Amino acid sequence: MALVCFPFKKEHIPTVLRNVEIATNHPNVSIVLLAAACSNDCFHEISKAIAAKSASSDPYPVPVRVEVQERLGVNLRPGKGDGMNSALRYFMKAHTLPENKLTAPLQRIHFYDADIESFDKAWITKAEEGTSLGYDVVRHYFPRSSTDAQVTWQVTKVGFALLWPRTTLPWVQQPLGGELCFTRRVVEKLLSDQRVVRQSNWGIDTLYTFVCAQNGYSLLEAYMPQGKMHALYGGLRDLKTMLCECFAAVQSLKDEHVQSSATVHRIDPPAAVPESITSKIGYDVEKSLKLLRENWSDRQMELLTLFPSDIQDGLLAASEWPEYMFMDEDAWIRAYKVYLDNFVLDDEDWRELLFKTWVARVLNYTMRHVLRGYHVAQQANTDMVMKLHMKRSLAA
Ligand code: GDP
């Protein structure tokens, strides 16, 4: 008895409909929910297509609902967090709605990004198998291009290793992954936690990962060897909102305590990475070089004085000429600590400064590690987090 949810905002409609078709035909799925960001054109077109299929001579084998997300957060931007939390609320009450014809409360909710082109029934099966084995949470993980996942590596994994080194958090493979499955007791806990319900923006994935670890829920990370083929972003600037919101989510938790107990956490072994992924470049390097010089203000120059002098000097130089070799792992971690103490999410100067610091970090990583090949780059990411985790664990 599972619900599969696809949160969506504006996506390629045939891909979404194809994914709905796959989910509705899975034997463990009782209902599919499309959680829409708003009633935009994409919402109307998808609703129309679902209604037509449902009324046809060949309807879906299970109910498919299209619902606009509720406004659950208060202060933060309404975004994917409201979408996912609205789906959790729908999941809890789905069996009480007569139109769904469900005979018992649903036991598991799965989330999959609506734009996954490589989605197939194996994603659902692996998560279902994990929960049948008794895991509270199953997260999917998959190989990614070495220039992808730079919010995950530089922000979330570094933050987890810095703040909660002796816990399971730094070991979570893809803590911002949107493909995951929760059992009912986890959903109950998440919805009773105001930190989660308030997290209406991109920070929701951080909160789900963190709160599950803090509550000691067992976690299986299921490996999907085919990777996640999905719509690509243009330049790094597209990621600015996500970067700032994911950083602020970690920052909002920095004083929280997580028990360093032996939470059950299994990670499926990964397999050889296909060439289509090892050879892919995830962002436009030339365009990103220009970002370092953009949108400087006098106030950002003032804020720079809070940083160690080598970082100040480096960013000042970068405002004139694309310099980034100063932003190595060590400098990034020192800068990260300054942001943890001072960053303000709704202050545009802080957002822009964090963004440029991160661009310098991503360029540094690209030129020093990605150039030497996929595996060297992945190793450099892992080393950065694991060295930090070890150093902080020993100091704790
Ligand atoms: P990425 O995969 O992390 O780059 O993020 P995407 O932009 O692909 O978004 C992940 C999924 O969340 C996609 O299915 C989006 O359509 C969906 N999404 C993004 N923003 C919102 C939102 O505000 N509300 C809802 N309901 N879905 C959203």
Side-chain angles (χ1 to χ4, degrees):
M1 294 289 276
L3 178 151
V4 167
C5 173
F6 297 102
F8 75 99
K9 190 169 185 175
K10 191 173 177 302
E11 297 297 346
H12 182 237
I13 292 169
T15 306
V16 180
L17 294 176
R18 180 189 153 276
N19 293 344
V20 168
E21 187 78 39
I22 291 167
T24 56
N25 281 292
H26 194 286
N28 296 28
V29 174
S30 304
I31 180 165
V32 170
L33 173 66
L34 286 146
C38 52
S39 58
N40 57 11
D41 288 352
C42 185
F43 165 81
H44 290 299
E45 287 207 30
I46 286 182
S47 301
K48 216 164 69 188
I50 302 281
K53 167 92 177 160
S54 302
S56 75
S57 57
D58 177 27
Y60 295 113
V62 296
V64 179
R65 305 287 170 231
V66 192
E67 301 273 336
V68 174
Q69 70 192 35
E70 301 172 75
R71 179 64 177 131
L72 298 172
V74 182
N75 297 321
L76 300 176
R77 185 186 65 85
K80 187 164 170 254
D82 271 348
M84 294 180 85
N85 285 333
S86 298
L88 296 185
R89 281 161 59 98
Y90 187 92
F91 165 82
M92 290 306 294
K93 65 166 193 211
H95 65 289
T96 66
L97 305 173
E99 66 271 25
N100 290 338
K101 301 194 179 80
L102 296 167
T103 50
L106 294 162
Q107 293 308 311
R108 294 166 301 281
I109 181 168
H110 297 233
F111 285 104
Y112 301 103
D113 285 358
D115 60 337
I116 311 179
E117 286 153 20
S118 52
F119 186 71
D120 62 18
K121 63 181 194 300
W123 292 71
I124 301 175
T125 302
K126 281 215 176 175
E128 287 287 302
E129 284 171 355
T131 54
S132 300
L133 287 169
Y135 290 96
D136 297 308
V137 179
V138 179
R139 308 183 68 93
H140 297 79
Y141 85 105
F142 37 82
R144 304 184 72 176
S145 142
S146 54
T147 41
D148 230 350
Q150 289 304 303
V151 177
T152 296
W153 280 109
Q154 311 298 344
V155 173
T156 315
K157 284 174 84 78
V158 163
F160 283 178
L162 196 59
L163 294 166
W164 304 284
R166 288 188 167 209
T167 70
T168 190
L169 283 165
W171 299 90
V172 178
Q173 298 293 305
Q174 284 166 7
L176 300 182
E179 291 69 36
L180 75 178
C181 174
F182 296 130
T183 49
R184 194 171 180 93
R185 78 178 187 121
V186 175
V187 176
E188 277 169 9
K189 178 59 94 182
L190 292 172
L191 285 176
S192 70
D193 192 323
Q194 282 313 300
R195 297 169 302 178
V196 172
V197 178
R198 284 196 304 254
Q199 196 70 46
S200 49
N201 60 18
W202 286 118
I204 192 62
D205 303 305
T206 311
L207 265 286
Y208 284 167
T209 304
F210 180 84
V211 170
C212 287
Q214 197 175 40
N215 283 285
Y217 290 132
S218 55
L219 169 63
L220 172 69
E221 293 195 82
Y223 187 70
M224 305 307 295
Q226 68 270 49
K228 180 178 150 188
M229 296 300 163
H230 65 127
L232 268 190
Y233 44 84
L236 290 180
R237 179 144 322 265
D238 290 1
L239 296 181
K240 180 176 163 186
T241 303
M242 189 183 277
L243 164 81
C244 292
E245 293 181 353
C246 290
F247 179 82
V250 173
Q251 185 193 29
S252 74
L253 298 165
K254 72 183 164 92
D255 297 321
E256 295 277 342
H257 176 69
V258 183
Q259 201 80 14
S260 48
S261 66
T263 301
V264 175
H265 179 187
R266 298 267 156 73
I267 306 171
D268 249 8
V273 181
E275 228 251 333
S276 56
I277 293 173
T278 57
S279 60
K280 200 175 92 184
I281 289 286
Y283 74 97
D284 184 330
V285 175
E286 192 175 21
K287 230 175 167 180
S288 302
L289 289 170
K290 295 183 188 140
L291 298 173
L292 292 169
R293 296 177 61 180
E294 287 177 7
N295 301 341
W296 280 96
S297 66
D298 291 346
R299 173 117 183 296
Q300 288 172 45
M301 296 288 180
E302 258 169 56
L303 296 177
L304 273 186
T305 58
L306 294 166
F307 291 82
S309 58
D310 58 322
I311 296 173
Q312 266 181 56
D313 295 346
L315 283 166
L316 268 179
S319 70
E320 292 178 5
W321 179 257
E323 288 204 12
Y324 44 80
M325 289 314 267
F326 65 98
M327 193 49 76
D328 60 10
E329 291 75 11
D330 173 69
W332 172 247
I333 290 161
R334 286 183 290 120
Y336 196 110
K337 291 179 186 167
V338 177
Y339 284 110
L340 274 181
D341 288 339
N342 297 284
F343 180 73
V344 181
L345 179 61
D346 50 20
D347 180 325
E348 187 46 36
D349 283 313
W350 270 117
R351 293 167 74 97
E352 187 59 28
L353 202 56
L354 173 64
F355 175 65
K356 286 194 281 258
T357 313
W358 173 78
V359 169
R361 174 69 204 126
V362 175
L363 287 167
N364 177 291
Y365 157 77
T366 305
M367 300 306 179
R368 281 182 37 243
H369 304 301
V370 176
L371 279 187
R372 294 187 291 143
Y374 177 82
H375 296 285
V376 175
Q378 289 304 83
Q379 194 60 49
N381 285 327
T382 309
D383 284 352
M384 170 177 66
V385 174
M386 284 303 134
K387 277 185 192 156
L388 177 61
H389 143 77
M390 191 53 77
K391 193 169 150 197
R392 300 288 289 190
S393 293
L394 291 169

